[in-house]
Amino acid sequence: MSVHSVNRRLMAPDISALKGDRPIVALTSYHAHTAAIADKYCDMLLVGDSLGMVMHGYETTLPVTMDMMVVHGRAVVRGAKRALVVVDMPFGTYEESPSVAFRNCAHVMKQTDCGAVKLEGGRRMAETIRYLVDRGIPVMAHVGLTPQSINVLGGFKTQGRTRAEWAAIEEDARVVTEAGAFSVLLEAIAAPLAARITASIPVPTIGIGASSACDGQILVMEDMLGLSPRVPKFVKKFGAVATAIEDAIKSYAEDVGSRRFPEEQHAYGMKEPEGAPSAAPPAQGPATKKPKKLST
């Protein structure tokens, strides 16, 4: 199935149906104009909580709020017309209980009109995923490296590098799939493990640093465009946007400083009736009244 083979926005079941058909193309997006461009080529756009780092300058995703996700989610939905838009649920908005998760996820979906949400966590989130799906909220699960748990993991560490770690991660993927997740994002896990998980579950796996064995791939858009100053090993830079932006700003500053910009074609002239003088007469100073002569 092509993104252009259906005359509507893609939905979670459409993404699930792509498993075994062709690779799924996904990217993050945080604003309407990049969403409109990516929408031509992507099956799915993720409004990731990574926006806290790449858009707002935080060191981690933990400070991201639900209001931030709603603002950026609305923008992406407005920009994209075909791709499924998935919104990340930020840290602290879904872990407390299934009912709290439902209230917050429903709020995000109603406010953004997105097509699904994404939750981090495996077995510990299975009950919540089932609760949400049973109540009409499509869920993308996220296992392996879960950035919202870096304080427990001890940093952004690759998962599954030893076989002793495999069973727990495989179990995470299995239980979230059984709970009803329409796809599973695998982040920063060893390639052989990603291949095993992809072969063992009936829904698509979307890899980010998890090898080409996955059913699809996703990257942070700013990373793959060469806009982020530091990127993980698994990122391939498909562009050099940071260099292009800096070159453009440097040229702008030089032109402003030397008065080469703006030129005549960048300025607005006057609209005057035919026969009217081309320029207003010089401004006169304020009229002054002669002082009255005082009678004696």
Side-chain angles (χ1 to χ4, degrees), residues 27 219-226 231-239:
L27 277 173
L219 285 175
V220 172
M221 186 181 292
E222 284 72 8
D223 290 353
M224 58 84 70
L225 289 177
V231 298
K233 173 187 175 180
F234 57 73
V235 173
K236 176 180 178 180
K237 292 184 180 180
F238 289 83

Side-chain angles (χ1 to χ4, degrees), residues 26 65 72-73 86 106-107 126 143 162 177 186 189 205 212 215 222 226 241-242 244 247 277-278 280:
T65 67
H72 289 278
V86 181
H107 172 77
V143 304
T162 66
T177 300
L186 304 179
I189 68 171
T205 58
S212 61
D215 296 300
E222 284 72 8
V241 173
D247 288 346
S278 59

Side-chain angles (χ1 to χ4, degrees), residues 77-284:
V77 170
R78 284 194 294 265
K81 306 303 178 188
R82 291 289 187 110
L84 171 67
V85 177
V86 181
V87 175
D88 252 336
M89 293 303 297
F91 177 68
T93 64
Y94 59 92
E95 296 91 342
E96 183 177 346
S97 69
S99 59
V100 168
F102 175 78
R103 181 168 63 248
N104 289 332
C105 291
H107 172 77
V108 166
M109 291 195 73
K110 287 167 69 70
Q111 291 297 313
T112 65
D113 201 27
C114 69
V117 298
K118 181 171 76 64
L119 310 181
E120 292 187 10
R123 287 159 291 174
R124 63 184 175 85
M125 294 311 304
E127 180 186 357
T128 295
I129 292 171
R130 183 173 290 107
Y131 189 93
L132 295 174
V133 174
D134 285 348
R135 287 157 180 78
I137 296 180
V139 177
M140 181 181 192
H142 181 160
V143 304
L145 171 60
T146 48
Q148 292 176 10
S149 302
I150 62 162
N151 288 321
V152 174
L153 297 174
F156 296 99
K157 295 181 177 180
T158 305
Q159 305 295 298
R161 297 292 291 272
T162 66
R163 288 187 178 272
E165 300 176 79
W166 285 21
I169 300 172
E170 289 182 275
E171 179 72 1
D172 281 341
R174 183 184 66 80
V175 296
V176 296
T177 300
E178 291 176 352
F182 73 90
S183 63
V184 180
L185 189 147
L186 304 179
E187 180 166 1
I189 68 171
L193 175 58
R196 281 174 60 95
I197 292 173
T198 300
S200 67
I201 62 175
V203 300
T205 58
I206 309 298
I208 178 166
S211 87
S212 61
C214 296
D215 296 300
Q217 299 294 325
I218 188 168
L219 285 175
V220 172
M221 186 181 292
E222 284 72 8
D223 290 353
M224 58 84 70
L225 289 177
L227 190 56
S228 301
R230 299 187 308 275
V231 298
K233 173 187 175 180
F234 57 73
V235 173
K236 176 180 178 180
K237 292 184 180 180
F238 289 83
V241 173
T243 301
I245 290 174
E246 183 170 355
D247 288 346
I249 293 173
K250 180 183 178 184
S251 296
Y252 166 73
E254 290 172 348
D255 279 14
V256 170
S258 63
R259 296 193 180 277
R260 291 194 300 268
F261 175 83
E263 299 174 87
E264 185 177 350
Q265 66 264 34
H266 307 123
Y268 296 100
M270 294 291 292
K271 287 186 176 180
E272 298 287 358
E274 192 173 338
S278 59
Q284 301 294 322

